[in-house]
């Protein structure tokens, strides 16, 4: 028993060293001074956020030993839609504006869909915030979580209504650094745990619960967990076209690598009886790996969800105000977003909200792919036009058929 305690303490120290080391690296002035890295922060903050907390347990529960394959498919889908968005960034940057009226109308529709998707994603972030906030307390349960979510919605509305979000948005680099540092600790702990299980010959091959068309529609319903790369599309005031395209590629490469390592380490070390199915399942799973990880994960979850919710609230408010040509003020948009978010909070569970958000973002990506297809056809590039058109059709399929994960 004493030896086990010593081993646990040594592992906790190792995790702390990993977190502090990555955190110190991210604060190096030389790294922070690289324009592409600074541009990466916004998409990276969105891609590696709530999705990281949710997707591991969900894929392990649904796909068992095939979870890494499901993650690879999800990453590939995200990369392909990223290619469509990048094509549109390049086209506009090359002086293609003013575009034909039909293109501009389609872009306006895409912006409207994105504003709506942000509304749902804020509900997703804050419902996770509520679930993680009460997870390690005596009040852990859906009612307490929804009450916390409602209180945070009220706080965000009050802040946006009275003062705006400029001060809170300044926390973005801090929260990204904290998330990546804690993810480094989590991956270190999982690597040690995986190595120990492999050394004991105790790796587990859990059979998948979902197969066939059900597996595909479930992956479709998880698109929001790798969403966020599109934010590079809207950084034109701060970065030039090559930097935005490069930052999107790098953020997708880095996030896909992190996700794949995470799922590979997670998929083969837990027995079915050790798997809980809930939005906070990752906390219970990591308690088996190392005593320090649950507290670290909850801290990361609260910072990540709050900052992401603020960013998407601000983005949605700005988009709605722009689309209405100022008739709908950002403050009124924040109130509308709060009403939608509260309705989702009290009418649906987290996994249903994830599915709704995935379908809303899929609608946006489908429109971006359609724009890219139109542009490629205008350039006489039939192969790319066909590829983007297929992506647009697939996005419509996600809107229609993406399903929520079920316990």
């Amino acid at each position: 028993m004493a030896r086990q305690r010593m081993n646990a303490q040594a592992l906790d120290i190792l995790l702390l060293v990993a977190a502090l080391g990555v955190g110190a690296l991210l604060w190096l002035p030389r790294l922070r001074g690289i324009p592409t890295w600074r541009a990466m922060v916004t998409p990276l903050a969105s891609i590696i956020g709530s999705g990281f907390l949710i997707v591991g347990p969900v894929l392990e529960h649904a796909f068992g030993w095939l979870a890494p394959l499901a993650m690879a498919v999800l990453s590939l889908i995200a990369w392909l839609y990223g290619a469509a968005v990048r094509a549109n960034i390049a086209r506009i940057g090359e002086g293609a504006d003013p575009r034909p009226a039909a293109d501009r109308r389609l872009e306006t529709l895409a912006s409207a869909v994105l504003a709506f998707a942000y509304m749902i994603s804020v509900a997703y972030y804050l419902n996770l915030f509520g679930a993680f906030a009460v997870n390690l307390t005596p009040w852990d349960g859906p009612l307490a979580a929804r009450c916390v979510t409602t209180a945070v919605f009220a706080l965000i509305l009050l802040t946006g209504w009275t003062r705006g979000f400029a001060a809170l948005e300044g926390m973005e680099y801090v929260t990204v650094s904290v998330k990546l540092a804690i993810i480094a600790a989590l991956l270190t702990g999982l690597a040690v745990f995986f190595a120990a299980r492999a050394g004991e010959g105790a790796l587990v091959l859990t059979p998948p619960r979902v197969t066939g068309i059900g597996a595909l529609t479930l992956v479709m319903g998880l698109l929001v967990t790798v969403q966020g790369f599109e934010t590079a599309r809207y950084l034109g005031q701060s970065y030039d076209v090559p930097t935005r395209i490069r930052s999107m590629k790098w953020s997708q490469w880095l996030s896909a690598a992190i996700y794949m390592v995470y799922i590979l380490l997670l998929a083969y070390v837990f027995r079915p009886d050790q798997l809980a199915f809930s939005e906070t399942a990752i906390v219970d799973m990591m308690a088996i790996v190392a005593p320090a990880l649950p507290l670290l994960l909850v801290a990361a979850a609260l910072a990540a969800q709050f900052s992401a919710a603020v960013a998407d609230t601000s983005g949605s408010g700005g988009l709605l105000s722009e689309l209405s040509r100022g008739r709908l003020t950002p403050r009124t948009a924040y109130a509308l977003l709060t009403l939608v978010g509260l309705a989702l909070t009290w009418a649906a569970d987290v996994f249903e909200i994830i599915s709704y958000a995935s379908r809303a973002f899929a609608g946006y990506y489908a429109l971006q792919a359609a724009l890219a297809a139109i542009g490629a056809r205008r350039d006489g590039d039939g192969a790319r036009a066909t590829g983007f058109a297929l992506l647009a059709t697939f996005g419509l399929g996600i809107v229609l058929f993406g399903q929520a994960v079920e316990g």
Side-chain angles (χ1 to χ4, degrees):
M1 183 66 69
R3 184 174 180 178
Q4 288 179 342
R5 283 198 298 270
M6 289 179 60
N7 288 340
Q9 290 172 353
L11 180 56
D12 283 346
I13 291 171
L14 177 62
L15 302 185
L16 184 61
V17 169
L20 292 175
V22 170
L25 175 66
L26 295 174
W27 278 94
L28 287 176
R30 181 174 296 179
L31 178 63
R32 297 176 66 189
I34 299 173
T36 301
W37 172 252
R38 291 201 310 271
M40 282 174 63
V41 168
T42 297
L44 203 57
S46 295
I47 301 170
I48 303 182
S50 307
F52 193 86
L53 300 167
I54 285 288
V55 77
V58 167
L59 292 183
E60 167 73 358
H61 174 267
F63 296 102
W65 69 276
L66 290 175
L69 177 60
M71 188 69 245
V73 170
L74 200 52
S75 298
L76 176 61
I77 293 170
W79 175 262
L80 293 174
Y81 281 118
V85 177
R86 288 190 292 274
N88 293 331
I89 293 174
R91 180 169 300 280
I92 295 172
E94 289 170 356
D97 273 345
R99 291 165 294 173
D103 288 31
R104 294 198 300 272
R105 285 195 293 270
L106 198 56
E107 183 69 56
T108 299
L109 178 59
S111 295
V113 172
L114 182 61
F116 180 66
Y118 279 154
M119 288 185 177
I120 304 176
S121 68
V122 172
Y124 158 47
Y125 296 141
L126 293 187
N127 274 270
L128 275 183
F129 182 99
F132 277 91
V134 302
N135 180 254
L136 298 179
T137 73
W139 303 281
D140 186 18
L143 178 60
R146 285 180 167 123
C147 288
V148 170
T149 298
T150 300
V152 179
F153 261 118
L155 173 63
I156 286 181
L157 175 60
L158 180 64
T159 303
W161 190 278
T162 59
R163 302 183 61 184
F165 292 114
L168 293 177
E169 287 174 335
M171 298 170 58
E172 185 172 61
Y173 193 86
V174 175
T175 56
V176 171
S177 300
V178 168
K179 280 191 293 186
L180 290 178
I182 292 176
I183 285 171
L186 183 149
L187 294 181
T188 300
L190 275 175
V192 171
F193 192 62
F194 184 97
R197 287 296 178 96
E200 297 166 358
L203 295 180
V204 181
L205 294 179
T206 304
R209 294 170 181 257
V210 184
T211 57
I213 295 299
L216 179 60
T217 55
L218 177 57
V219 169
M220 290 176 173
L222 291 171
L223 183 62
V224 72
T225 61
V226 290
Q227 164 272 331
F229 52 86
E230 77 287 340
T231 53
R233 167 82 171 75
Y234 301 97
L235 298 177
Q237 292 184 341
S238 303
Y239 302 99
D240 60 23
V241 169
T243 300
R244 282 186 286 149
I245 290 175
R246 191 164 54 247
S247 70
M248 188 192 296
K249 287 182 177 179
W250 289 11
S251 63
Q252 287 197 282
W253 287 339
L254 178 58
S255 60
I258 290 172
Y259 271 124
M260 287 305 303
V261 171
Y262 168 50
I263 299 300
L264 281 166
L265 292 175
L266 193 72
Y268 307 108
V269 293
F270 294 100
R271 300 187 308 271
D273 62 293
Q274 294 175 313
L275 298 175
F277 182 77
S278 72
E279 59 270 36
T280 58
I282 189 65
V283 175
D284 299 327
M285 294 167 73
M286 291 305 103
I288 300 171
V289 175
L293 278 178
L295 283 174
L296 287 175
L297 280 175
V298 168
L302 296 181
Q305 303 335 302
F306 187 76
S307 63
V310 167
D312 280 10
T313 299
S314 179
S316 181
L319 277 172
L320 288 172
S321 179
E322 180 182 323
L323 289 166
S324 67
R325 299 182 181 179
R327 287 189 292 272
L328 188 67
T329 66
R331 292 199 307 179
T332 307
Y334 301 150
L336 177 62
L337 179 145
T338 299
L339 289 174
V340 172
L342 289 177
L344 286 169
T345 296
W346 290 96
D349 63 35
V350 170
F351 294 110
E352 290 174 318
I353 297 172
I354 288 172
S355 177
Y356 298 149
S358 292
R359 292 158 79 172
F361 278 107
Y364 169 76
Y365 295 142
L367 291 169
Q368 287 291 325
L371 277 168
I374 292 169
R377 186 182 63 183
R378 196 173 288 132
D379 292 341
D381 191 338
R384 281 169 61 84
T386 300
F388 287 136
L390 289 173
L391 269 181
T393 303
F394 185 70
L396 181 61
I398 297 177
V399 174
L400 296 175
F401 303 114
Q403 72 175 51
V405 63
E406 297 178 356

